[in-house]
Amino acid sequence: MEFEPLNNMEMEFDIGSGEEDDNNGIDIEQDVDYENAEFLDGGDLFGDIVPVTADSDADLEPYEGMEFESEEAARIFYNSYARRVGFSTRVSTYHRSRHDDAIICRQIVCSRQGFHQGRDRNSKRKQKRPRAVARVGCKAMMMVKKKDAGKWVVSKITKEHNHELVPPDKVHSLRSHKHISGSARSLIDTLQAAGIGPSGVMSVLIKESGGVDNVGFSTVDYRNYLTSRQRHFGDGAQQVLDYLKRMQAEDPTFFYEIQGDSDHSAGNIFWTDATCRMNYSCFGDTVIFDTVYRTNRYRVPFAPFTGWNHHGQPVLFGCALLLNESESSFVWLFQTWLAQMSGRHPVSITTDQDRVIEAAVTHVFPDTRHRFCKWNIFREAQDKLSAVYQSHPNFEIEFRKCINTTESVEEFESSWQLLLQRYDLMENEWLHSMYNARLQWVPVYLRGTFFAEMSVTQGSDSINSFFDGYVNASTTVQVLVKQYEKAVASRHEKEVKADYDTLNTAPVLKTPSPMEKQAASIYTRRIFTKFQEELVETLASSATKIEDSGTVTIYRVVKFGEEHKAYIVRFHVFEMLANCSCQMFEFSGILCKHILAVFRVTNVLTLPSHYVLRRWTRNAKSAVVVDDHALELQSTSKESSIDRFNNLRQEVIKYVDEGAKSSHIYNVAIDALKEAIKKVKTSKKHGSGVAPLGNLLNGSNGEVCSAEGNRLGQLQSCSADEKQKKIEELVNELEGANERCEVYRENLLAVLKDMEEQKLKLSVKLQNVRLSLKEIGTISD
């Protein structure tokens, strides 16, 4: 990677709108000042970021060489460290690689670093009130750089400050550590609705938190929050509406809806487009409803629906602006979004832990697995357990290990109880409530559900930040549209680049395994890399058979040197089905090293088709497949014209994607489209008659169907009696065909049953031969 060294010049920046400046190939990020930046409701960019320790977990003090999984994790850790020490932080500068434009160097500093530039004396613009001097040239900072392996390493650290540090009982007053938690907001809303005034609400909050120092915010922050609850679009409303109307006029596939509000000043807005629907049709198995705007108190109440594409990149399903955050508003939003996604419910959905959102999810998605964002829960723990964090530095490490690294329910339960006993937290109400909700956020309880994440411990530790760098604490409604379009364009460009890299660069194989070669040709680059890591791990693992019933064999898989940590794999030989106790495949859709180790010892040389999820493959978006909902629309007249329009639109988008891949395919697609248009016009001309059915069958099922279609088409020229007679003949033929199909099905089932019985007999004979050979060997000895 090529990058420019950071210089020593002082740089002052306002909180940016997400635009990036080009400075001779070096990108400088806006300098986010938590101490002096103005926020709508006392919020901050790091208000919800929780401390995350480095991989070593050995020392909470930052040091050169310390590694992190991501740049965000480094920022989170440094802010957590700052809270313990007694200062506030802000993000300073970053550099991008000239090779792929990715951020490769980040500097996080004490909020009192540098000096404010004085206002021009000749400027006509005057400050409403003089500001206290906040920046005093403090040199405390941490610089992290990205390594080739993807890790972020601390390259420089300065711990000395040139100002007094804040004592533990006052640290919550610093900007980067202020936070109104989700539960606090819910309590505030409830108390306010009951007619309790600000002083009374603060008294309850202080009592519930165990003291004013544990509340995490001031009365001013609370009043700002109340003000933000009544915010409106203001001058930006018309701009947003004009944009939505223009997009719909230019693109019939663009959809937006405003929840019943006549003047559009306080109504919720939802919008989506054809690309979002296409994304959902391919990757809508798991969804993240990102309401981080509420916890970070963004000036724009922005809430996107996102997921993960076949490269593991954030992908967009739709967006909303929410000014009314009642349960009915979230129900309206979820139902409106679901209708645009063809009514197909996701397997799982991740949201913030909020009683209002939870109730809405239960109402609209009753069969969808609902997970709380672990990232937000760890952030809330920082506030609720601040006294424990400060008095016991190791508590955070043990708390995270209890949540992230326990392998079974029994191990988690034991670890949780020991943690509470060790730190005398058996009576802590917040921990008690979080334990009661453990099924919705502790990874060990979620492993059996698909979330499209690469590891169980990663799960929801960070937000799917589709709009990261574009929507932030200073974004207003007036600039949201511009930033929205920039973010969408940027994500599309990254996906195109990932597609190009996958198709045009061959990965380096590390084993002679045919399975690795197969995976390299099927998966995208990133998913193959993850699969390859698991496959290589099998070389250091052993799979020992511990039970064999003939059809199901149970293996104990351990890594050399870690015999105390075993995983159990159940392998159904005939059906080629394997289940591992780690449940990685169920959670991520990628086979774990334990199942692959069993495949290795049982000579399974290639991946069974049912272990290759299409959503992770190179062709995840290339198939033109009509979904079940669209097929249902063909046989019912109860569906609305909007539903029919949306489904046809999705199929056309898929058709275009396939048809534009080459000039030859394009010509074929054009000819087929012209023929389809003729058939549609014919169908429209004949109304609901059966003649078009013959044409449609002709287009899809060849000459036989063409003959049948022509027979049906002749009904148009027959009398009523003749039509009825023809219909009866066709019905009799259909019943006869159904009877023949039933006979074929029964015969096929009988054959399959015989095959299974033969396999079982052969297995028993094989087992007897093995026992006989073993006895002969014993006698020989």
Side-chain angles (χ1 to χ4, degrees), residues 400-558:
R400 286 180 173 275
K401 284 185 176 180
C402 172
I403 303 304
N404 288 331
T405 65
T406 48
E407 297 278 347
S408 65
V409 172
E410 294 75 16
E411 185 182 357
F412 165 76
E413 296 285 350
S414 175
S415 178
W416 180 272
Q417 292 300 320
L418 289 174
L419 186 71
L420 299 188
Q421 293 173 7
R422 182 177 296 114
Y423 293 98
D424 193 22
L425 296 171
M426 298 297 294
E427 304 300 323
N428 186 281
E429 293 185 5
W430 183 80
L431 284 173
H432 182 69
S433 67
M434 296 314 303
Y435 176 78
N436 290 337
R438 63 193 182 281
L439 298 182
Q440 289 180 273
W441 69 281
V442 177
V444 73
Y445 294 99
L446 297 163
R447 293 182 175 184
T449 304
F450 183 75
F451 284 98
E453 292 169 356
M454 296 299 100
S455 69
V456 175
T457 56
Q458 168 199 339
S460 194
D461 261 349
S462 60
I463 292 295
N464 181 336
S465 50
F466 185 94
F467 292 95
D468 185 31
Y470 295 91
V471 177
N472 58 33
S474 69
T475 305
T476 61
V477 175
Q478 287 86 344
V479 300
L480 174 65
V481 169
K482 181 180 180 182
Q483 296 306 106
Y484 166 83
E485 291 187 330
K486 284 187 174 183
V488 170
S490 175
R491 291 296 180 185
H492 175 70
E493 182 180 350
K494 290 179 179 179
E495 181 176 329
V496 170
K497 185 180 185 303
D499 284 335
Y500 177 85
D501 291 342
T502 294
L503 295 175
N504 294 279
T505 58
V508 177
L509 302 183
K510 298 182 178 180
T511 73
S513 168
M515 187 179 293
E516 184 183 16
K517 185 176 181 180
Q518 174 198 15
S521 66
I522 295 175
Y523 289 131
T524 60
R525 286 296 302 273
R526 182 180 179 189
I527 303 307
F528 170 72
T529 299
K530 178 61 181 175
F531 173 83
Q532 187 181 55
E533 291 174 359
E534 296 296 315
L535 185 65
V536 170
E537 283 286 326
T538 64
L539 301 177
S541 302
S542 63
T544 306
K545 185 187 302 183
I546 58 176
E547 186 177 332
D548 189 350
S549 65
T551 57
V552 177
T553 308
I554 302 177
Y555 291 86
R556 182 178 184 270
V557 182
V558 297

Side-chain angles (χ1 to χ4, degrees), residues 155 314 331 433 492 571 619:
S155 61
V331 169
S433 67
H492 175 70
F571 183 41
N619 300 321

Side-chain angles (χ1 to χ4, degrees), residues 335-349:
Q335 289 177 339
T336 304
W337 172 78
L338 187 62
Q340 287 299 307
M341 301 298 120
S342 300
R344 183 164 66 90
H345 290 229
V347 174
S348 61
I349 186 170

Side-chain angles (χ1 to χ4, degrees), residues 362-416:
T362 301
H363 180 80
V364 181
F365 307 106
D367 299 322
T368 297
R369 188 74 160 93
H370 184 197
R371 177 179 68 168
F372 297 147
C373 178
K374 183 152 58 75
W375 183 84
N376 284 332
I377 291 176
F378 280 145
R379 176 262 307 152
E380 192 165 350
Q382 183 182 17
D383 294 321
K384 296 296 185 179
L385 306 174
S386 58
V388 182
Y389 274 48
Q390 293 170 13
S391 57
H392 301 284
N394 288 329
F395 172 79
E396 180 184 1
I397 299 175
E398 296 185 35
F399 180 56
R400 286 180 173 275
K401 284 185 176 180
C402 172
I403 303 304
N404 288 331
T405 65
T406 48
E407 297 278 347
S408 65
V409 172
E410 294 75 16
E411 185 182 357
F412 165 76
E413 296 285 350
S414 175
S415 178
W416 180 272

